[in-house]
Amino acid sequence: VEPNLADLRNDTTSLRKAFNVISAVDALAAHIHYWIEANRPDVLVAKDDTHYRQVLADKHIEFALLRDLAKANKHFKLTRSPRRPPLVSNSTQNTTMKLGWGEMEWADIGATINAPDGNVIVTDNSGKVRVVDAVVHWSLELLRDEMRSVGLLRARNTHP
């Protein structure tokens, strides 16, 4: 995942690199679920990886957006969602744009590079514009926390 994110940050207007990192983070959620199933069934919270993504999406809006982006990029158009309407309905809601002051969500400012050439952005179904790099960043932070909580990733600032 990290090399894919670095690729996007080095080429902030590449839709291909944005789609690639979105898919990688979405797939990481599935890997975490199946690792938990095999190694920590005592903390298993979902019956399969789709359900696990839903559990994560229910508690984290950026992950919900990332999950819907991954599905929209894969299927082009989303017509149904497990519990609620999708945050993104189709892959054409991704584009490249240079954002000015006040056009970026506060949560995106510290998590992304406001690149001189612009960023890959997504406009969700409510009309809110989000920087894909930041959505990926916050989703990856959630997954790192999940991995730490089950022992798949060492906690920060610890030694062997």
Side-chain angles (χ1 to χ4, degrees), residues 43-60:
V43 296
L44 194 62
V45 296
K47 63 182 186 240
D48 59 30
D49 62 301
T50 300
H51 183 220
Y52 182 62
R53 286 183 185 96
Q54 184 62 50
V55 168
L56 295 173
D58 286 345
K59 68 181 182 179
H60 195 276

Side-chain angles (χ1 to χ4, degrees), residues 10-144:
N10 288 326
D11 188 0
T12 59
T13 61
S14 173
L15 286 171
R16 178 184 60 81
K17 291 175 182 177
F19 289 1
N20 189 23
V21 72
I22 289 165
S23 295
V25 174
D26 183 63
L28 178 59
H31 286 277
I32 294 167
H33 168 76
Y34 288 114
W35 186 91
I36 293 169
E37 186 178 77
N39 298 284
R40 291 290 311 276
D42 56 309
V43 296
L44 194 62
V45 296
K47 63 182 186 240
D48 59 30
D49 62 301
T50 300
H51 183 220
Y52 182 62
R53 286 183 185 96
Q54 184 62 50
V55 168
L56 295 173
D58 286 345
K59 68 181 182 179
H60 195 276
I61 191 66
E62 279 84 9
F63 186 81
L65 182 55
L66 180 123
R67 188 245 352 234
D68 289 353
L69 274 168
K71 289 192 315 184
N73 290 340
K74 179 180 176 187
H75 300 288
F76 182 73
K77 183 176 181 179
L78 300 182
T79 56
R80 58 188 167 100
S81 186
R83 285 197 182 161
R84 64 174 181 250
L87 298 174
V88 177
S89 297
N90 66 68
S91 64
T92 64
Q93 289 171 256
N94 288 298
T95 190
T96 301
M97 176 184 282
K98 186 169 171 54
L99 298 172
W101 181 255
E103 294 179 306
M104 187 183 293
E105 288 292 309
W106 282 106
D108 295 356
I109 291 172
T112 192
I113 300 164
N114 194 3
D117 295 332
N119 297 84
V120 176
I121 59 101
V122 58
T123 304
D124 71 15
N125 290 339
S126 74
K128 186 184 290 185
V129 173
R130 297 296 307 270
V131 179
V132 168
D133 179 0
V135 172
V136 168
H137 170 86
W138 294 120
S139 297
L140 191 52
E141 283 300 306
L142 168 73
L143 295 180
R144 286 183 184 124

